[in-house]
Amino acid sequence: MKKQVCLLTFLLVSLLFAGGYTTGLLLDESPATEREWGYRPSEGMISAVNPPSFCWRPQKDIIYWELECAITPDFSTIEYRSSGIAMNVHCPPRILPAGRYFWRYRGQDQAGQFTSWSQTRDFTLPDDATHMPLPSRQDLLARIPSAHPRLFVRPEELPELRELAKGDRKPQYDQLIATCDQLLANPPSTAEPFLYPETMQRYGYEWTLQWWGNRLHVIKALDGAAMLGFTYQLSGKREYGDLAKKLLLECARWDPFGASGYRYNDEAGMPYTCYFARAYTYIHELLSEEERAVCRNVAAVRGKQMYEHLYPRQLWDAFVSHNARAWHFLGELGIAFAGEVEGADEWVWFAMNLTYNVYPIWSDEDGGWHEGFSYWHSYIGRFKWWGLAVRSAMDLNVFAKPYFYQAGYFAMYHMPPGRDAAEFGDGSVRIKETNLVPLFGEGSFLREQAVNAVPLMSRLAAETGNGYWQWYVEQMGGPVEEPGYIGFAYPLPRNVKAVEPDDLPTSRLFRGTGLACLNTTLRDAREDVQVLFKASQMGTQSHGIESSNSFALWAYGERLLIRTGHYYMYGAPHHADWVWETKSQNNITVNGHGQVKHSPFSKGKIAAFKTAPRIDAVVGEAGEAYRIGGGDAEHRLLDRFTRAILFVKPELIIVYDRLEAREPSTFAYHLHALNQFQMAGQQKIRCVSGDVSCDILMLAPQNLILSQTDQYDPNPWPQITIRDWHLTAVTDTKSLKKEFITLYRPHRGVQSAPKAELSERDGGYVLKVGLGDESVVALLPSADKAGLAGEGLASCGEIVVQYRTGKGRAVETVRIAANE
């Protein structure tokens, strides 16, 4: 009898474990913070890709995960199940039928114990979702050639490429030969970069020169080796291969934990990784077994260093700028050394899981980029190398991701053709003095211009077939091929017919990053009046440092109201204590305090957006971002800061601000321009840039205390002498609530300021503005449900803007609530 009981108990326990019984192993399902990628698909999500990308919180004591995806909430009908998942992300290797699904996951520890199942989340796969299954690990790695080369070209493709070098691609081939001959005549130095002296001030001028100089030194040596090795494969010229080998092996002697090490200076370590991999795979046949072993040892040490820093962090704590590009350099290293170096296969698998499940982090499918234009074309420009490497090595098209079918609109709307500087995001405006040679000598331009996007836009247009983007690049000289050996291996894949943007709306919201680009035309920046407005749920983290509810104004090719300061070293005193601060932007501070700076927790949001042929309207909310103190002592200053931008194209911008403080407060309105403001009272302000002016009328509140200065706090390095002008308008008394109503009229040449009549009534304000023979009427309610009427219009909490002819006939009316 005892034997039967024991046997029954054993069977019961076995069944319980098999069915997911837990003996104290707890699943951490704590909600994702603003710093974390989050559970995906999120509850109720409509997935743009099929299969969806799954992601959940990693857990140290879990070694494997199990995932179930069902068409019934009780999981009685399982459509997809996967077990033995090592990472906290998963993309199935097959397409799922369209429809509604429910998913859950659980973990397993080393002893074989399971956690309980997670909470259930539902999502929908629409019929038109993009098909992007990720092949299994085994299948994926089997696609990589066992022989060399492996990056951007496969061994079996070499004969065809050699023929193309004699024919259709001879001009590109001749350029490769010319470059290699120059390298032969003047080989790059392979002296190991120096460590920073202990006495050197971090972020100082000399430190910065060495920091960036070491990056350029690495690229010159190892990209030179890659160029020589690739061209050797095409030409058979042994002198190219021999010099490539010399450069590679001499760089292999550098200390992987020294000045070129990833953890010491990632700006040197990242390019070392990918260019070393390329050079190795191109001259593999010229290396002896002993020399290959040296290279494999370098790859093992440097790859492990990167992988241990990035995994699993980048699969969950994803919002770190450099990490967000370091992983695909590691992926190139993995491809080159797959099957040869311990861990290399895992680096490839990790990079592909990031590609399919956690990319891009700085945007969603709408195509914006939180870090701004400069970092957009820089980072996506590097990612396209990875995309082409994946296509070559594994026959997968990562440009099929929905993001890439929207990405080009970011350049079109933010930077119309002819634009000679960007505005939002670090590095968007670099003048000669902040482009301190050789700090950023890798780039081709001193300023961020629309033309800087042409190489990336050329690739995006060709990969997606988007005719609007093709038109964009043709306005600035036409498509640009990838330079060097990548361009030879992967010329633009097709000729796309240009489509003029006349049927596109001139304004666009990139909701995922909280950026509204309001334009009068997309054809030419010199004819455009543009308002940029940002209120982002991604906060002010990384290089997207603008406070929510900040705006900038351009007109006819001139910067009028700008974001200020200089970006020459990330986190330097001027950058951290001026550029990151709300007071450096066209925004409002409260009792001298701005929004929490440089933080994912400094969140705003675009509450509403509408665009019409004559009127655009956008509303942002930023009250939550005004907090002071820290930890338990932290408290909010505002219950709301609602800013509405009403753009009557092309000649009038109305900015309506509503602030509600938690204690009586003083409010300061900040504006910034390139040149000194002309001021004769708060309703007679003008800023001028070139032949373009902007009249500014601060209609409410009254009795603002005006001042201006051309000094930053703190000022930048002494070498940087350029200064902007900063106007501050401060309320004369403290109050709990305050409304600001300000008009801006940009124009060429000499024009009189607009005539404006503002009347305060029960429920808000009625504004009438004369524009020559035409007029604009706006109802500006002071509460979300306030009744307000005037000038033949009525509202119940909505902002109403109407454009009228000289005879008073309504041409266009836009209504927008504070939260739609």
Side-chain angles (χ1 to χ4, degrees):
M1 182 66 178
K2 289 183 179 180
K3 290 183 178 180
Q4 291 175 325
V5 171
C6 290
L7 179 60
L8 181 61
T9 301
F10 174 78
L11 291 173
L12 178 60
V13 171
S14 298
L15 287 170
L16 286 171
F17 272 108
Y21 177 72
T22 177
T23 57
L25 182 60
L26 298 179
L27 182 66
D28 182 359
E29 290 192 86
S30 53
T33 72
E34 285 81 356
R35 296 184 187 277
E36 297 168 334
W37 185 240
Y39 299 89
R40 304 187 184 218
S42 57
E43 182 69 22
M45 176 180 171
I46 299 174
S47 178
V49 290
N50 184 353
S53 302
F54 293 95
C55 181
W56 54 88
R57 180 177 291 282
Q59 197 166 324
K60 288 184 178 179
D61 50 355
I62 301 298
I63 62 167
Y64 293 116
W65 301 94
E66 184 175 356
L67 171 73
E68 286 187 345
C69 187
I71 61 176
T72 53
D74 62 356
F75 289 83
S76 58
T77 307
I78 304 294
E79 173 61 35
Y80 179 78
R81 176 187 285 119
S82 183
S83 59
I85 302 170
M87 299 179 182
N88 62 298
V89 296
H90 182 70
C91 180
R94 65 176 177 87
I95 304 301
L96 305 180
R100 187 185 183 197
Y101 288 92
F102 303 87
W103 74 280
R104 64 183 183 180
Y105 68 96
R106 63 177 177 175
Q108 183 183 13
D109 68 7
Q110 188 72 45
Q113 297 181 94
F114 286 91
T115 66
S116 58
W117 285 104
S118 70
Q119 72 177 72
T120 298
R121 296 175 173 86
D122 76 289
F123 67 91
T124 299
L125 285 176
D127 290 327
D128 61 351
T130 300
H131 289 183
M132 284 199 69
L134 176 62
S136 69
R137 187 179 193 274
Q138 181 178 359
D139 181 7
L140 197 73
L141 294 171
R143 295 172 178 228
I144 298 173
S146 58
H148 291 268
R150 300 176 178 178
L151 287 169
F152 309 111
V153 59
R154 301 172 65 90
E156 64 270 22
E157 295 170 342
L158 285 172
E160 181 182 0
L161 288 177
R162 289 165 183 153
E163 289 302 312
L164 287 169
K166 302 173 185 176
D168 292 346
R169 299 184 198 172
K170 189 176 188 304
Q172 296 95 316
Y173 174 74
D174 289 342
Q175 184 59 54
L176 292 177
I177 293 293
T179 301
C180 289
D181 286 344
Q182 291 172 3
L183 288 168
L184 286 176
N186 186 22
S189 169
T190 55
E192 182 166 3
F194 291 109
L195 299 171
Y196 307 123
E198 292 183 3
T199 57
M200 183 176 284
Q201 179 186 358
R202 186 174 178 83
Y203 297 143
Y205 180 71
E206 296 299 329
W207 184 93
T208 305
L209 288 175
Q210 185 169 335
W211 164 74
W212 196 259
N214 283 352
R215 170 185 171 82
L216 301 181
H217 182 71
V218 166
I219 293 173
K220 190 172 183 180
L222 283 173
D223 191 31
M227 175 72 75
L228 289 159
F230 183 90
T231 311
Y232 158 74
Q233 288 290 347
L234 295 180
S235 67
K237 292 187 176 183
R238 185 60 184 261
E239 60 269 31
Y240 295 166
D242 288 342
L243 179 56
K245 177 178 174 178
K246 179 177 183 291
L247 296 174
L248 179 71
L249 293 176
E250 289 181 358
C251 291
R253 291 199 289 265
W254 296 355
D255 181 0
F257 301 98
S260 67
Y262 171 70
R263 299 297 284 136
Y264 187 84
N265 177 359
D266 62 0
E267 285 290 10
M270 286 187 285
Y272 187 108
T273 301
C274 69
Y275 293 122
F276 186 88
R278 296 174 192 179
Y280 171 80
T281 199
Y282 296 148
I283 63 165
H284 182 270
E285 66 190 52
L286 299 180
L287 299 171
S288 67
E289 272 306 313
E290 291 77 13
E291 291 165 338
R292 292 172 188 170
V294 168
C295 293
R296 289 166 185 162
N297 183 61
V298 169
V301 174
R302 288 183 180 264
K304 181 181 180 183
Q305 185 181 150
M306 292 183 74
Y307 183 69
E308 289 180 347
H309 176 68
L310 296 169
Y311 175 77
R313 177 180 183 177
Q314 197 58 28
L315 298 174
W316 186 254
D317 298 312
F319 298 102
V320 180
S321 185
H322 286 199
N323 293 357
R325 60 182 162 100
W327 63 266
H328 56 77
F329 299 131
L330 177 63
E332 284 196 47
L333 190 70
I335 291 173
F337 289 92
E340 300 180 12
V341 168
E342 182 180 358
D345 292 3
E346 194 66 16
W347 308 338
V348 175
W349 183 234
F350 168 62
M352 291 304 293
N353 271 276
L354 269 165
T355 303
Y356 275 69
N357 297 302
V358 193
Y359 191 85
I361 62 167
W362 299 121
S363 183
D364 55 13
E365 286 86 4
D366 66 9
W369 198 257
H370 167 73
E371 295 186 304
F373 175 78
S374 179
Y375 278 81
W376 172 76
H377 75 77
S378 173
Y379 276 41
I380 299 296
R382 292 180 175 99
F383 177 86
K384 72 186 178 197
W385 300 341
W386 171 245
L388 297 174
V390 168
R391 178 177 292 168
S392 174
M394 291 170 271
D395 192 26
L396 293 171
N397 180 21
V398 301
F399 296 109
K401 287 181 78 82
Y403 165 78
F404 291 105
Y405 281 79
Q406 301 296 321
Y409 291 116
F410 181 63
M412 282 193 70
Y413 281 85
H414 189 180
M415 300 286 287
R419 182 74 168 264
D420 71 348
E423 203 65 54
F424 286 169
D426 274 335
S428 291
V429 179
R430 281 186 180 140
I431 56 176
K432 183 177 181 180
E433 287 80 1
T434 57
N435 205 71
L436 300 169
V437 178
L439 292 186
F440 302 102
E442 179 185 6
S444 302
F445 304 93
L446 291 180
R447 303 180 71 170
E448 280 299 353
Q449 304 166 315
V451 71
N452 294 25
V454 168
L456 175 57
M457 288 289 281
S458 300
R459 174 61 60 177
L460 292 174
E463 293 290 342
T464 63
N466 190 303
Y468 299 121
W469 305 349
Q470 183 72 13
W471 172 87
Y472 181 85
V473 302
E474 289 183 2
Q475 305 315 296
M476 292 175 284
V480 173
E481 297 278 359
E482 306 291 336
Y485 49 90
I486 297 179
F488 183 90
Y490 273 100
L492 297 175
R494 55 179 156 179
N495 294 320
V496 179
K497 182 179 179 181
V499 178
E500 297 183 352
D502 297 339
D503 60 340
L504 291 176
T506 58
S507 301
R508 191 179 184 97
L509 173 64
F510 298 95
R511 188 172 294 277
T513 55
L515 177 68
C517 301
L518 315 180
N519 296 282
T520 57
T521 179
L522 299 177
R523 284 186 162 274
D524 188 343
R526 292 159 293 189
E527 300 300 321
D528 184 32
V529 177
Q530 183 194 66
V531 179
L532 293 177
F533 179 70
K534 186 173 182 180
S536 177
Q537 296 187 56
M538 301 186 79
T540 54
Q541 63 185 313
S542 190
H543 297 287
I545 38 75
E546 287 75 25
S547 297
S548 285
N549 283 359
S550 293
F551 75 94
L553 174 63
W554 278 69
Y556 310 113
E558 296 289 341
R559 300 177 71 205
L560 291 175
L561 296 170
I562 65 174
R563 70 100 54 251
T564 66
H566 301 283
Y567 177 56
Y568 52 87
M569 170 47 61
Y570 183 84
H574 173 73
H575 190 235
D577 296 326
W578 176 263
V579 176
W580 288 354
E581 293 282 356
T582 305
K583 65 185 178 183
S584 75
Q585 301 149 42
N586 299 312
N587 211 312
I588 294 176
T589 55
V590 182
N591 291 332
H593 299 289
Q595 298 171 30
V596 177
K597 65 180 182 180
H598 199 238
S599 168
F601 302 100
S602 186
K603 297 195 301 181
K605 68 175 182 178
I606 297 292
F609 172 80
K610 288 187 177 180
T611 181
R614 190 63 194 255
I615 300 172
D616 291 335
V618 59
V619 180
E621 177 55 51
E624 181 185 341
Y626 287 81
R627 303 190 305 277
I628 60 174
D632 295 337
E634 183 180 76
H635 64 280
R636 284 178 61 166
L637 298 177
L638 298 178
D639 285 323
R640 80 178 298 165
F641 171 20
T642 306
R643 168 165 277 184
I645 306 281
L646 312 172
F647 185 19
V648 184
K649 298 175 280 190
E651 51 199 335
L652 182 67
I653 300 101
I654 304 168
V655 179
Y656 178 39
D657 299 307
R658 295 163 55 190
L659 299 105
E660 297 179 6
R662 294 194 169 183
E663 61 182 42
S665 301
T666 300
F667 303 93
Y669 195 103
H670 300 272
L671 293 175
H672 307 272
L674 291 173
N675 302 307
Q676 187 173 9
F677 289 89
Q678 302 170 16
M679 298 193 302
Q682 69 179 66
Q683 295 189 29
K684 293 184 178 180
I685 302 172
R686 175 173 289 179
C687 66
V688 179
S689 180
D691 65 344
V692 181
S693 302
C694 181
D695 295 307
I696 304 168
L697 286 70
M698 294 184 172
L699 301 178
Q702 297 296 315
N703 302 316
L704 292 170
I705 302 168
L706 302 181
S707 63
Q708 65 174 315
T709 179
D710 66 346
Q711 296 301 300
Y712 308 107
D713 181 21
N715 280 320
W717 283 340
Q719 295 94 329
I720 300 171
T721 58
I722 296 293
R723 295 292 184 268
D724 307 315
W725 283 85
H726 321 292
L727 183 153
T728 306
V730 184
T731 56
D732 63 338
T733 59
K734 292 187 175 184
S735 59
L736 286 171
K737 297 177 64 175
K738 188 63 65 177
E739 289 97 22
F740 286 83
I741 300 172
T742 310
L743 304 187
Y744 303 88
R745 189 182 186 189
H747 57 83
R748 286 188 171 111
V750 179
Q751 293 187 22
S752 59
K755 297 178 180 180
E757 300 175 12
L758 180 69
S759 60
E760 185 172 4
R761 306 184 184 184
D762 290 341
Y765 302 85
V766 177
L767 173 65
K768 185 175 182 179
V769 183
L771 299 172
D773 293 334
E774 299 160 337
S775 64
V776 174
V777 175
L779 302 185
L780 307 174
S782 55
D784 290 342
K785 296 183 179 179
L788 181 62
E791 296 293 329
L793 298 173
S795 165
C796 184
E798 290 181 312
I799 294 172
V800 184
V801 189
Q802 187 173 86
Y803 174 74
R804 297 175 176 178
T805 66
K807 296 182 179 181
R809 180 177 63 85
V811 176
E812 189 169 276
T813 305
V814 168
R815 294 175 176 269
I816 190 166
N819 194 1
E820 293 190 347

